[in-house]
Amino acid sequence: MPDISLTMLVLLCVAALAAGWIDAVVGGGGLLLLPVLLLGLPANTPAAHALGTNKAVAIVGTTGAAVTYARKAPVDVRTAVRIGLAALAGSSAGAFFAAGMSTDVLKPVIMVVLLGVAAFVILRPAFGTAPATGPVTRRRILAAIGLAGLGIGFYDGLIGPGTGTFLVLALTAILHLDLVTASATAKIVNCCTNAGALATFAWQGAVLWQLAALMAVFNLAGGTLGAHTALKQGSGFVRVVLLTVVFALVGNLAYEQWLA
């Protein structure tokens, strides 16, 4: 356990709880959890340890949310796993290229895309409010594997923030899922990408396991509660949270690009 105060430890646990809830509803919990970890850990802690610990915490809450969704939402687990395996490959490739690429060039592009997404969701109130009327075609499944799997997985390895939110949006648009089912599917995909990242960080010895175990308990509670909330409140509620997270992500990227 790192040398941190009791007050900071409580703050980290509360952040883990809130991040689990946000991530289960619409993705983007890392926007809250990772900055708090970077703030709360001792100044001499390598950044990789914050990233590794974040993944160790997040995978527990994500798995809890995925199990909750799978039990109560009409999730095609087979398709979700296929997309997840593609995302795992994409994130590995993204991590490989990240070492030699400046993300400062990409962040403004991502911000423009996110603002475009927000405008689309606002102007299309029916987006993600009702499931498709017919079966999903093989072409759409392959498109989801390519874009939501390989494409967003590559982004996850290259930059990372907002991956869960991008997955929800892509799955809703490509597979014509309602936002609740898209969130459920995204959690299964996230389990795959988080497992790959965590394995890498663990192999490098960059996980603070004792701290992660404590925070994971709260993250699991938040993730399970968030899944229940989304299932109960429906797509309209998820839409509001989605827009909130999108604007928060834009603000976070803008801060990192021009003010940090």
Side-chain angles (χ1 to χ4, degrees):
M1 181 72 73
D3 184 19
I4 56 179
S5 68
L6 179 60
T7 301
M8 182 55 68
L9 187 61
V10 171
L11 177 61
L12 288 170
C13 290
V14 172
L17 178 72
W21 187 90
I22 294 170
D23 204 58
V25 175
V26 76
L31 293 173
L32 171 63
L33 188 57
L34 184 57
V36 174
L37 268 171
L38 290 169
L39 174 67
L41 292 174
N44 60 347
T45 303
H49 284 66
L51 293 169
T53 304
N54 175 61
K55 287 298 182 184
V57 173
I59 194 172
V60 176
T62 299
T63 302
V67 171
T68 301
Y69 275 125
R71 288 176 175 173
K72 298 186 177 182
V75 183
D76 186 340
V77 177
R78 182 182 176 186
T79 297
V81 170
R82 289 162 69 185
I83 297 172
L85 293 176
L88 178 59
S91 63
S92 299
F96 176 79
F97 282 101
M101 183 178 293
S102 173
T103 58
D104 290 339
V105 177
L106 297 177
K107 286 178 182 177
V109 177
I110 299 299
M111 281 185 274
V112 171
V113 171
L114 281 168
L115 289 172
V117 164
F120 176 82
V121 174
I122 291 171
L123 295 173
R124 295 283 298 274
F127 177 73
T129 58
T133 55
V136 179
T137 64
R138 179 179 176 83
R139 180 177 295 180
R140 287 191 176 275
I141 291 175
L142 290 176
I145 292 173
L147 178 60
L150 289 172
I152 297 178
F154 183 85
Y155 167 81
D156 189 24
L158 190 66
I159 302 178
T163 296
T165 305
F166 278 126
L167 281 172
V168 171
L169 291 165
L171 292 170
T172 302
I174 298 171
L175 299 181
H176 289 174
L177 303 176
D178 63 272
L179 286 171
V180 173
T181 306
S183 293
T185 306
K187 291 306 101 189
I188 297 175
V189 177
N190 273 157
C191 286
C192 296
T193 56
N194 283 342
L198 178 58
T200 301
F201 284 120
W203 178 71
Q204 295 173 341
V207 180
L208 302 172
W209 290 109
Q210 288 181 312
L211 177 61
L214 177 61
M215 294 175 64
V217 173
F218 289 86
N219 193 251
L220 175 61
T224 304
L225 178 61
H228 280 296
T229 303
L231 288 165
K232 181 179 180 180
Q233 298 296 329
S235 295
F237 171 78
V238 175
R239 184 174 180 271
V240 173
V241 179
L242 172 64
L243 288 171
T244 302
V245 171
V246 165
F247 285 119
L249 180 56
V250 171
N252 179 69
L253 289 173
Y255 175 80
E256 290 181 353
Q257 178 73 11
W258 292 300
L259 298 177

